[in-house]
Amino acid sequence: MVALNTSSTLMMMTAMLIVCSSFATTSAFQTISSPTTLRRSSLLNMAAKAKGGGPRFDKTTEKWIVTDPATQGPEAGYDLIGSLYRAGPVPFIQRVINAEQYEQAVLKYMAAEGCDRKEAQGNMDAYFENPQDWAYQKMQEQNGAAKKDYANANMDPKQIALSTIWAGVVFWFAYYLVTGLAEGKWGKAEGTDLLHGNLWTLPF
């Protein structure tokens, strides 16, 4: 009987680990019920708590829409560069290649959490940059830890200056490397390989 109970306990623990892993890898573009997010059945109820009524879900289009563009629309948040400074290139790229899905994720987070747009964007940017760290932070907050201000993360003037300088150095180095390859600076402009000045004429 003891062996049977131990086996059942191990099976239950394994199942729980599988379920937790599946939640940790869920994309925020599919549902915002990933790591702190709320049950789907409660989202519409939570939306009523949002400022100004919050974004609402349109059953006809199956999309989240703003109810007050001035406080919930893109102009109420921050732009692409704001995402780049706050959380790095990953959310920046997400906004470029998946603009509509990013917008839907932000609106849904606003409705679920009853927060303003900047807070929603900050959280979604942090989630895209590192889902595991974001989920861990939210779990800590639920257990009493101080709430992290993702809306203003890395926006200290000194941090902005350092980030700008670093980005400039990286961009300059990449530009110098690519143009040098194209012009044959690293070798004679002969042959068909990248190191001999034929970057744009390779026989693909």
Side-chain angles (χ1 to χ4, degrees):
M1 181 64 70
V2 173
L4 181 59
N5 290 338
T6 302
S7 177
S8 299
T9 301
L10 290 174
M11 291 177 66
M12 290 177 64
M13 292 177 64
T14 301
M16 289 175 66
L17 287 173
I18 293 172
V19 171
C20 290
S21 298
S22 67
F23 275 113
T25 57
T26 299
S27 170
F29 286 155
Q30 295 174 346
T31 75
I32 292 207
S33 64
S34 56
T36 72
T37 50
L38 305 164
R39 296 187 183 102
R40 184 176 299 176
S41 61
S42 67
L43 284 177
L44 295 178
N45 292 332
M46 294 291 295
K49 299 180 181 179
K51 296 177 180 179
R56 67 179 181 84
F57 187 73
D58 187 335
K59 294 182 180 179
T60 303
T61 61
E62 296 187 346
K63 292 182 178 180
W64 289 90
I65 60 175
V66 299
T67 57
D68 183 0
T71 60
Q72 301 164 12
E75 62 276 9
Y78 52 80
D79 57 17
L80 285 166
I81 300 302
S83 291
L84 186 63
Y85 276 127
R86 286 170 173 82
V90 175
F92 175 90
I93 294 171
Q94 288 284 4
R95 292 187 67 173
V96 171
I97 65 176
N98 290 311
E100 183 176 355
Q101 292 92 332
Y102 177 88
E103 179 68 8
Q104 286 294 297
V106 169
L107 294 179
K108 192 171 184 181
Y109 190 92
M110 290 173 65
E113 298 292 342
C115 64
D116 63 23
R117 185 179 177 91
K118 284 187 178 180
E119 182 178 341
Q121 282 189 246
N123 275 273
M124 296 315 303
D125 287 346
Y127 177 81
F128 297 141
E129 193 275 330
N130 192 321
Q132 288 76 26
D133 283 358
W134 181 83
Y136 178 77
Q137 173 63 29
K138 291 301 177 181
M139 290 177 63
Q140 293 298 104
E141 290 176 11
Q142 289 180 348
N143 291 329
K147 183 177 181 180
K148 186 169 182 177
D149 184 11
Y150 286 113
N152 296 301
N154 301 319
M155 294 305 292
D156 178 84
K158 291 183 179 180
Q159 182 63 44
I160 292 176
L162 289 173
S163 297
T164 302
I165 293 170
W166 175 244
V169 170
V170 172
F171 178 81
W172 177 85
F173 179 78
Y175 177 81
Y176 182 74
L177 178 63
V178 172
T179 56
L181 290 172
E183 296 170 1
K185 289 182 178 179
W186 321 126
K188 294 180 180 180
E190 299 174 355
T192 57
D193 61 272
L194 290 178
L195 297 179
H196 288 84
N198 290 279
L199 182 62
W200 315 120
T201 59
L202 292 178
F204 293 123

PDB file of all heavy atoms in Angstrom, residues 158-190:
ATOM      1  N   LYS A 158      20.805  58.498 -16.943  1.00  0.00           N
ATOM      2  CA  LYS A 158      22.138  57.916 -17.090  1.00  0.00           C
ATOM      3  C   LYS A 158      22.076  56.596 -17.848  1.00  0.00           C
ATOM      4  O   LYS A 158      22.929  56.311 -18.698  1.00  0.00           O
ATOM      5  CB  LYS A 158      22.765  57.707 -15.717  1.00  0.00           C
ATOM      6  CG  LYS A 158      23.128  58.989 -14.998  1.00  0.00           C
ATOM      7  CD  LYS A 158      23.803  58.703 -13.664  1.00  0.00           C
ATOM      8  CE  LYS A 158      24.183  59.985 -12.941  1.00  0.00           C
ATOM      9  NZ  LYS A 158      24.841  59.714 -11.629  1.00  0.00           N
ATOM     10  N   GLN A 159      21.042  55.787 -17.541  1.00  0.00           N
ATOM     11  CA  GLN A 159      20.899  54.514 -18.231  1.00  0.00           C
ATOM     12  C   GLN A 159      20.590  54.730 -19.705  1.00  0.00           C
ATOM     13  O   GLN A 159      21.087  54.000 -20.578  1.00  0.00           O
ATOM     14  CB  GLN A 159      19.782  53.699 -17.582  1.00  0.00           C
ATOM     15  CG  GLN A 159      19.586  52.311 -18.198  1.00  0.00           C
ATOM     16  CD  GLN A 159      20.807  51.427 -18.033  1.00  0.00           C
ATOM     17  OE1 GLN A 159      21.406  51.381 -16.957  1.00  0.00           O
ATOM     18  NE2 GLN A 159      21.198  50.739 -19.096  1.00  0.00           N
ATOM     19  N   ILE A 160      19.760  55.724 -20.006  1.00  0.00           N
ATOM     20  CA  ILE A 160      19.440  56.031 -21.397  1.00  0.00           C
ATOM     21  C   ILE A 160      20.701  56.445 -22.151  1.00  0.00           C
ATOM     22  O   ILE A 160      20.935  56.015 -23.293  1.00  0.00           O
ATOM     23  CB  ILE A 160      18.370  57.143 -21.472  1.00  0.00           C
ATOM     24  CG1 ILE A 160      17.034  56.627 -20.946  1.00  0.00           C
ATOM     25  CG2 ILE A 160      18.224  57.654 -22.894  1.00  0.00           C
ATOM     26  CD1 ILE A 160      15.948  57.675 -20.886  1.00  0.00           C
ATOM     27  N   ALA A 161      21.526  57.278 -21.517  1.00  0.00           N
ATOM     28  CA  ALA A 161      22.765  57.729 -22.155  1.00  0.00           C
ATOM     29  C   ALA A 161      23.698  56.552 -22.428  1.00  0.00           C
ATOM     30  O   ALA A 161      24.264  56.428 -23.528  1.00  0.00           O
ATOM     31  CB  ALA A 161      23.465  58.757 -21.269  1.00  0.00           C
ATOM     32  N   LEU A 162      23.854  55.667 -21.452  1.00  0.00           N
ATOM     33  CA  LEU A 162      24.717  54.495 -21.628  1.00  0.00           C
ATOM     34  C   LEU A 162      24.189  53.577 -22.727  1.00  0.00           C
ATOM     35  O   LEU A 162      24.959  53.075 -23.556  1.00  0.00           O
ATOM     36  CB  LEU A 162      24.836  53.728 -20.313  1.00  0.00           C
ATOM     37  CG  LEU A 162      25.651  54.403 -19.201  1.00  0.00           C
ATOM     38  CD1 LEU A 162      25.536  53.607 -17.906  1.00  0.00           C
ATOM     39  CD2 LEU A 162      27.108  54.537 -19.616  1.00  0.00           C
ATOM     40  N   SER A 163      22.876  53.358 -22.741  1.00  0.00           N
ATOM     41  CA  SER A 163      22.272  52.496 -23.762  1.00  0.00           C
ATOM     42  C   SER A 163      22.463  53.084 -25.150  1.00  0.00           C
ATOM     43  O   SER A 163      22.732  52.368 -26.115  1.00  0.00           O
ATOM     44  CB  SER A 163      20.779  52.302 -23.476  1.00  0.00           C
ATOM     45  OG  SER A 163      20.574  51.650 -22.243  1.00  0.00           O
ATOM     46  N   THR A 164      22.327  54.414 -25.253  1.00  0.00           N
ATOM     47  CA  THR A 164      22.489  55.077 -26.544  1.00  0.00           C
ATOM     48  C   THR A 164      23.927  54.957 -27.039  1.00  0.00           C
ATOM     49  O   THR A 164      24.169  54.655 -28.221  1.00  0.00           O
ATOM     50  CB  THR A 164      22.098  56.562 -26.428  1.00  0.00           C
ATOM     51  OG1 THR A 164      20.745  56.663 -25.980  1.00  0.00           O
ATOM     52  CG2 THR A 164      22.234  57.262 -27.770  1.00  0.00           C
ATOM     53  N   ILE A 165      24.887  55.165 -26.145  1.00  0.00           N
ATOM     54  CA  ILE A 165      26.294  55.046 -26.533  1.00  0.00           C
ATOM     55  C   ILE A 165      26.617  53.618 -26.963  1.00  0.00           C
ATOM     56  O   ILE A 165      27.274  53.391 -27.987  1.00  0.00           O
ATOM     57  CB  ILE A 165      27.206  55.478 -25.364  1.00  0.00           C
ATOM     58  CG1 ILE A 165      27.041  56.981 -25.103  1.00  0.00           C
ATOM     59  CG2 ILE A 165      28.662  55.137 -25.661  1.00  0.00           C
ATOM     60  CD1 ILE A 165      27.723  57.456 -23.826  1.00  0.00           C
ATOM     61  N   TRP A 166      26.140  52.657 -26.192  1.00  0.00           N
ATOM     62  CA  TRP A 166      26.410  51.255 -26.515  1.00  0.00           C
ATOM     63  C   TRP A 166      25.793  50.874 -27.865  1.00  0.00           C
ATOM     64  O   TRP A 166      26.438  50.218 -28.686  1.00  0.00           O
ATOM     65  CB  TRP A 166      25.874  50.369 -25.412  1.00  0.00           C
ATOM     66  CG  TRP A 166      25.998  48.888 -25.698  1.00  0.00           C
ATOM     67  CD1 TRP A 166      24.995  47.997 -25.846  1.00  0.00           C
ATOM     68  CD2 TRP A 166      27.211  48.146 -25.868  1.00  0.00           C
ATOM     69  NE1 TRP A 166      25.483  46.745 -26.102  1.00  0.00           N
ATOM     70  CE2 TRP A 166      26.847  46.803 -26.126  1.00  0.00           C
ATOM     71  CE3 TRP A 166      28.565  48.489 -25.833  1.00  0.00           C
ATOM     72  CZ2 TRP A 166      27.795  45.802 -26.351  1.00  0.00           C
ATOM     73  CZ3 TRP A 166      29.513  47.490 -26.051  1.00  0.00           C
ATOM     74  CH2 TRP A 166      29.124  46.166 -26.298  1.00  0.00           C
ATOM     75  N   ALA A 167      24.554  51.306 -28.098  1.00  0.00           N
ATOM     76  CA  ALA A 167      23.894  51.009 -29.370  1.00  0.00           C
ATOM     77  C   ALA A 167      24.650  51.646 -30.531  1.00  0.00           C
ATOM     78  O   ALA A 167      24.795  51.044 -31.606  1.00  0.00           O
ATOM     79  CB  ALA A 167      22.454  51.505 -29.344  1.00  0.00           C
ATOM     80  N   GLY A 168      25.167  52.873 -30.305  1.00  0.00           N
ATOM     81  CA  GLY A 168      25.935  53.538 -31.356  1.00  0.00           C
ATOM     82  C   GLY A 168      27.218  52.792 -31.690  1.00  0.00           C
ATOM     83  O   GLY A 168      27.585  52.654 -32.865  1.00  0.00           O
ATOM     84  N   VAL A 169      27.896  52.295 -30.661  1.00  0.00           N
ATOM     85  CA  VAL A 169      29.135  51.542 -30.879  1.00  0.00           C
ATOM     86  C   VAL A 169      28.850  50.258 -31.669  1.00  0.00           C
ATOM     87  O   VAL A 169      29.567  49.925 -32.622  1.00  0.00           O
ATOM     88  CB  VAL A 169      29.808  51.207 -29.534  1.00  0.00           C
ATOM     89  CG1 VAL A 169      30.956  50.218 -29.729  1.00  0.00           C
ATOM     90  CG2 VAL A 169      30.309  52.483 -28.869  1.00  0.00           C
ATOM     91  N   VAL A 170      27.809  49.540 -31.268  1.00  0.00           N
ATOM     92  CA  VAL A 170      27.457  48.291 -31.951  1.00  0.00           C
ATOM     93  C   VAL A 170      27.090  48.560 -33.411  1.00  0.00           C
ATOM     94  O   VAL A 170      27.516  47.848 -34.329  1.00  0.00           O
ATOM     95  CB  VAL A 170      26.299  47.584 -31.221  1.00  0.00           C
ATOM     96  CG1 VAL A 170      25.790  46.397 -32.033  1.00  0.00           C
ATOM     97  CG2 VAL A 170      26.754  47.124 -29.843  1.00  0.00           C
ATOM     98  N   PHE A 171      26.277  49.610 -33.639  1.00  0.00           N
ATOM     99  CA  PHE A 171      25.865  49.937 -34.999  1.00  0.00           C
ATOM    100  C   PHE A 171      27.063  50.316 -35.857  1.00  0.00           C
ATOM    101  O   PHE A 171      27.193  49.882 -37.001  1.00  0.00           O
ATOM    102  CB  PHE A 171      24.851  51.088 -34.980  1.00  0.00           C
ATOM    103  CG  PHE A 171      24.416  51.529 -36.346  1.00  0.00           C
ATOM    104  CD1 PHE A 171      23.434  50.821 -37.025  1.00  0.00           C
ATOM    105  CD2 PHE A 171      24.989  52.644 -36.950  1.00  0.00           C
ATOM    106  CE1 PHE A 171      23.034  51.220 -38.292  1.00  0.00           C
ATOM    107  CE2 PHE A 171      24.603  53.040 -38.220  1.00  0.00           C
ATOM    108  CZ  PHE A 171      23.614  52.329 -38.887  1.00  0.00           C
ATOM    109  N   TRP A 172      27.962  51.139 -35.291  1.00  0.00           N
ATOM    110  CA  TRP A 172      29.147  51.554 -36.052  1.00  0.00           C
ATOM    111  C   TRP A 172      30.021  50.358 -36.411  1.00  0.00           C
ATOM    112  O   TRP A 172      30.496  50.245 -37.544  1.00  0.00           O
ATOM    113  CB  TRP A 172      29.966  52.559 -35.235  1.00  0.00           C
ATOM    114  CG  TRP A 172      31.235  52.970 -35.944  1.00  0.00           C
ATOM    115  CD1 TRP A 172      31.385  53.953 -36.873  1.00  0.00           C
ATOM    116  CD2 TRP A 172      32.525  52.357 -35.791  1.00  0.00           C
ATOM    117  NE1 TRP A 172      32.687  54.014 -37.308  1.00  0.00           N
ATOM    118  CE2 TRP A 172      33.420  53.046 -36.669  1.00  0.00           C
ATOM    119  CE3 TRP A 172      33.012  51.326 -35.007  1.00  0.00           C
ATOM    120  CZ2 TRP A 172      34.769  52.711 -36.762  1.00  0.00           C
ATOM    121  CZ3 TRP A 172      34.359  50.987 -35.110  1.00  0.00           C
ATOM    122  CH2 TRP A 172      35.215  51.673 -35.971  1.00  0.00           C
ATOM    123  N   PHE A 173      30.222  49.465 -35.446  1.00  0.00           N
ATOM    124  CA  PHE A 173      31.056  48.298 -35.712  1.00  0.00           C
ATOM    125  C   PHE A 173      30.431  47.417 -36.794  1.00  0.00           C
ATOM    126  O   PHE A 173      31.134  46.942 -37.701  1.00  0.00           O
ATOM    127  CB  PHE A 173      31.243  47.486 -34.431  1.00  0.00           C
ATOM    128  CG  PHE A 173      32.068  46.244 -34.620  1.00  0.00           C
ATOM    129  CD1 PHE A 173      33.453  46.310 -34.713  1.00  0.00           C
ATOM    130  CD2 PHE A 173      31.457  45.005 -34.725  1.00  0.00           C
ATOM    131  CE1 PHE A 173      34.208  45.163 -34.907  1.00  0.00           C
ATOM    132  CE2 PHE A 173      32.213  43.856 -34.918  1.00  0.00           C
ATOM    133  CZ  PHE A 173      33.593  43.932 -35.005  1.00  0.00           C
ATOM    134  N   ALA A 174      29.114  47.194 -36.708  1.00  0.00           N
ATOM    135  CA  ALA A 174      28.441  46.368 -37.706  1.00  0.00           C
ATOM    136  C   ALA A 174      28.537  47.007 -39.091  1.00  0.00           C
ATOM    137  O   ALA A 174      28.787  46.322 -40.094  1.00  0.00           O
ATOM    138  CB  ALA A 174      26.983  46.160 -37.313  1.00  0.00           C
ATOM    139  N   TYR A 175      28.340  48.329 -39.150  1.00  0.00           N
ATOM    140  CA  TYR A 175      28.423  49.041 -40.431  1.00  0.00           C
ATOM    141  C   TYR A 175      29.835  48.946 -41.004  1.00  0.00           C
ATOM    142  O   TYR A 175      30.022  48.684 -42.197  1.00  0.00           O
ATOM    143  CB  TYR A 175      28.023  50.496 -40.234  1.00  0.00           C
ATOM    144  CG  TYR A 175      28.153  51.337 -41.476  1.00  0.00           C
ATOM    145  CD1 TYR A 175      27.158  51.306 -42.460  1.00  0.00           C
ATOM    146  CD2 TYR A 175      29.261  52.167 -41.668  1.00  0.00           C
ATOM    147  CE1 TYR A 175      27.277  52.077 -43.603  1.00  0.00           C
ATOM    148  CE2 TYR A 175      29.383  52.926 -42.821  1.00  0.00           C
ATOM    149  CZ  TYR A 175      28.393  52.880 -43.785  1.00  0.00           C
ATOM    150  OH  TYR A 175      28.512  53.649 -44.926  1.00  0.00           O
ATOM    151  N   TYR A 176      30.834  49.157 -40.162  1.00  0.00           N
ATOM    152  CA  TYR A 176      32.220  49.101 -40.594  1.00  0.00           C
ATOM    153  C   TYR A 176      32.582  47.710 -41.103  1.00  0.00           C
ATOM    154  O   TYR A 176      33.271  47.556 -42.118  1.00  0.00           O
ATOM    155  CB  TYR A 176      33.130  49.498 -39.443  1.00  0.00           C
ATOM    156  CG  TYR A 176      34.601  49.530 -39.778  1.00  0.00           C
ATOM    157  CD1 TYR A 176      35.137  50.562 -40.553  1.00  0.00           C
ATOM    158  CD2 TYR A 176      35.456  48.536 -39.315  1.00  0.00           C
ATOM    159  CE1 TYR A 176      36.491  50.588 -40.865  1.00  0.00           C
ATOM    160  CE2 TYR A 176      36.806  48.554 -39.617  1.00  0.00           C
ATOM    161  CZ  TYR A 176      37.326  49.589 -40.395  1.00  0.00           C
ATOM    162  OH  TYR A 176      38.662  49.612 -40.704  1.00  0.00           O
ATOM    163  N   LEU A 177      32.098  46.693 -40.409  1.00  0.00           N
ATOM    164  CA  LEU A 177      32.397  45.318 -40.805  1.00  0.00           C
ATOM    165  C   LEU A 177      31.774  44.988 -42.153  1.00  0.00           C
ATOM    166  O   LEU A 177      32.437  44.460 -43.053  1.00  0.00           O
ATOM    167  CB  LEU A 177      31.891  44.352 -39.744  1.00  0.00           C
ATOM    168  CG  LEU A 177      32.088  42.853 -40.033  1.00  0.00           C
ATOM    169  CD1 LEU A 177      33.566  42.515 -40.130  1.00  0.00           C
ATOM    170  CD2 LEU A 177      31.428  42.011 -38.946  1.00  0.00           C
ATOM    171  N   VAL A 178      30.492  45.318 -42.317  1.00  0.00           N
ATOM    172  CA  VAL A 178      29.799  44.978 -43.557  1.00  0.00           C
ATOM    173  C   VAL A 178      30.363  45.746 -44.745  1.00  0.00           C
ATOM    174  O   VAL A 178      30.617  45.188 -45.810  1.00  0.00           O
ATOM    175  CB  VAL A 178      28.281  45.233 -43.409  1.00  0.00           C
ATOM    176  CG1 VAL A 178      27.584  45.081 -44.755  1.00  0.00           C
ATOM    177  CG2 VAL A 178      27.686  44.262 -42.401  1.00  0.00           C
ATOM    178  N   THR A 179      30.567  47.051 -44.565  1.00  0.00           N
ATOM    179  CA  THR A 179      31.108  47.841 -45.678  1.00  0.00           C
ATOM    180  C   THR A 179      32.535  47.437 -45.992  1.00  0.00           C
ATOM    181  O   THR A 179      32.961  47.455 -47.156  1.00  0.00           O
ATOM    182  CB  THR A 179      31.050  49.345 -45.358  1.00  0.00           C
ATOM    183  OG1 THR A 179      31.740  49.607 -44.120  1.00  0.00           O
ATOM    184  CG2 THR A 179      29.615  49.822 -45.248  1.00  0.00           C
ATOM    185  N   GLY A 180      33.283  47.056 -44.962  1.00  0.00           N
ATOM    186  CA  GLY A 180      34.642  46.588 -45.202  1.00  0.00           C
ATOM    187  C   GLY A 180      34.661  45.304 -46.007  1.00  0.00           C
ATOM    188  O   GLY A 180      35.494  45.130 -46.913  1.00  0.00           O
ATOM    189  N   LEU A 181      33.761  44.403 -45.707  1.00  0.00           N
ATOM    190  CA  LEU A 181      33.653  43.166 -46.485  1.00  0.00           C
ATOM    191  C   LEU A 181      33.288  43.467 -47.931  1.00  0.00           C
ATOM    192  O   LEU A 181      33.816  42.874 -48.869  1.00  0.00           O
ATOM    193  CB  LEU A 181      32.603  42.248 -45.860  1.00  0.00           C
ATOM    194  CG  LEU A 181      32.954  41.611 -44.507  1.00  0.00           C
ATOM    195  CD1 LEU A 181      31.746  40.882 -43.928  1.00  0.00           C
ATOM    196  CD2 LEU A 181      34.123  40.639 -44.655  1.00  0.00           C
ATOM    197  N   ALA A 182      32.343  44.413 -48.112  1.00  0.00           N
ATOM    198  CA  ALA A 182      31.885  44.741 -49.460  1.00  0.00           C
ATOM    199  C   ALA A 182      32.976  45.412 -50.288  1.00  0.00           C
ATOM    200  O   ALA A 182      33.047  45.222 -51.505  1.00  0.00           O
ATOM    201  CB  ALA A 182      30.666  45.653 -49.377  1.00  0.00           C
ATOM    202  N   GLU A 183      33.819  46.189 -49.636  1.00  0.00           N
ATOM    203  CA  GLU A 183      34.848  46.941 -50.353  1.00  0.00           C
ATOM    204  C   GLU A 183      36.180  46.206 -50.438  1.00  0.00           C
ATOM    205  O   GLU A 183      37.129  46.706 -51.058  1.00  0.00           O
ATOM    206  CB  GLU A 183      35.058  48.291 -49.664  1.00  0.00           C
ATOM    207  CG  GLU A 183      33.821  49.186 -49.721  1.00  0.00           C
ATOM    208  CD  GLU A 183      33.956  50.403 -48.825  1.00  0.00           C
ATOM    209  OE1 GLU A 183      35.040  50.545 -48.185  1.00  0.00           O
ATOM    210  OE2 GLU A 183      33.005  51.192 -48.761  1.00  0.00           O
ATOM    211  N   GLY A 184      36.271  45.039 -49.820  1.00  0.00           N
ATOM    212  CA  GLY A 184      37.508  44.272 -49.874  1.00  0.00           C
ATOM    213  C   GLY A 184      38.588  44.767 -48.948  1.00  0.00           C
ATOM    214  O   GLY A 184      39.780  44.563 -49.205  1.00  0.00           O
ATOM    215  N   LYS A 185      38.237  45.443 -47.861  1.00  0.00           N
ATOM    216  CA  LYS A 185      39.233  45.958 -46.933  1.00  0.00           C
ATOM    217  C   LYS A 185      40.012  44.853 -46.239  1.00  0.00           C
ATOM    218  O   LYS A 185      41.142  45.055 -45.800  1.00  0.00           O
ATOM    219  CB  LYS A 185      38.557  46.827 -45.865  1.00  0.00           C
ATOM    220  CG  LYS A 185      38.050  48.159 -46.375  1.00  0.00           C
ATOM    221  CD  LYS A 185      37.431  48.975 -45.245  1.00  0.00           C
ATOM    222  CE  LYS A 185      36.955  50.323 -45.741  1.00  0.00           C
ATOM    223  NZ  LYS A 185      36.323  51.138 -44.661  1.00  0.00           N
ATOM    224  N   TRP A 186      39.388  43.677 -46.110  1.00  0.00           N
ATOM    225  CA  TRP A 186      40.038  42.608 -45.356  1.00  0.00           C
ATOM    226  C   TRP A 186      40.781  41.639 -46.284  1.00  0.00           C
ATOM    227  O   TRP A 186      41.197  40.574 -45.878  1.00  0.00           O
ATOM    228  CB  TRP A 186      38.997  41.841 -44.535  1.00  0.00           C
ATOM    229  CG  TRP A 186      37.944  42.721 -43.942  1.00  0.00           C
ATOM    230  CD1 TRP A 186      36.608  42.601 -44.075  1.00  0.00           C
ATOM    231  CD2 TRP A 186      38.153  43.874 -43.135  1.00  0.00           C
ATOM    232  NE1 TRP A 186      35.954  43.596 -43.412  1.00  0.00           N
ATOM    233  CE2 TRP A 186      36.887  44.401 -42.816  1.00  0.00           C
ATOM    234  CE3 TRP A 186      39.281  44.528 -42.644  1.00  0.00           C
ATOM    235  CZ2 TRP A 186      36.703  45.539 -42.034  1.00  0.00           C
ATOM    236  CZ3 TRP A 186      39.118  45.666 -41.869  1.00  0.00           C
ATOM    237  CH2 TRP A 186      37.844  46.161 -41.567  1.00  0.00           C
ATOM    238  N   GLY A 187      40.907  42.005 -47.550  1.00  0.00           N
ATOM    239  CA  GLY A 187      41.612  41.161 -48.515  1.00  0.00           C
ATOM    240  C   GLY A 187      41.445  41.712 -49.910  1.00  0.00           C
ATOM    241  O   GLY A 187      40.759  42.707 -50.127  1.00  0.00           O
ATOM    242  N   LYS A 188      42.061  41.097 -50.861  1.00  0.00           N
ATOM    243  CA  LYS A 188      41.941  41.550 -52.245  1.00  0.00           C
ATOM    244  C   LYS A 188      40.511  41.353 -52.737  1.00  0.00           C
ATOM    245  O   LYS A 188      39.856  40.382 -52.390  1.00  0.00           O
ATOM    246  CB  LYS A 188      42.904  40.765 -53.144  1.00  0.00           C
ATOM    247  CG  LYS A 188      44.370  41.034 -52.842  1.00  0.00           C
ATOM    248  CD  LYS A 188      45.263  40.240 -53.769  1.00  0.00           C
ATOM    249  CE  LYS A 188      46.732  40.522 -53.467  1.00  0.00           C
ATOM    250  NZ  LYS A 188      47.631  39.749 -54.373  1.00  0.00           N
ATOM    251  N   ALA A 189      40.043  42.267 -53.549  1.00  0.00           N
ATOM    252  CA  ALA A 189      38.680  42.202 -54.079  1.00  0.00           C
ATOM    253  C   ALA A 189      38.601  41.204 -55.221  1.00  0.00           C
ATOM    254  O   ALA A 189      38.307  41.527 -56.360  1.00  0.00           O
ATOM    255  CB  ALA A 189      38.240  43.583 -54.547  1.00  0.00           C
ATOM    256  N   GLU A 190      38.959  39.994 -54.923  1.00  0.00           N
ATOM    257  CA  GLU A 190      38.911  38.921 -55.916  1.00  0.00           C
ATOM    258  C   GLU A 190      38.255  37.706 -55.281  1.00  0.00           C
ATOM    259  O   GLU A 190      38.218  37.558 -54.067  1.00  0.00           O
ATOM    260  CB  GLU A 190      40.325  38.563 -56.378  1.00  0.00           C
ATOM    261  CG  GLU A 190      41.068  39.720 -57.032  1.00  0.00           C
ATOM    262  CD  GLU A 190      42.508  39.362 -57.353  1.00  0.00           C
ATOM    263  OE1 GLU A 190      42.917  38.236 -56.969  1.00  0.00           O
ATOM    264  OE2 GLU A 190      43.201  40.180 -57.955  1.00  0.00           O
TER     265      GLU A 190
END
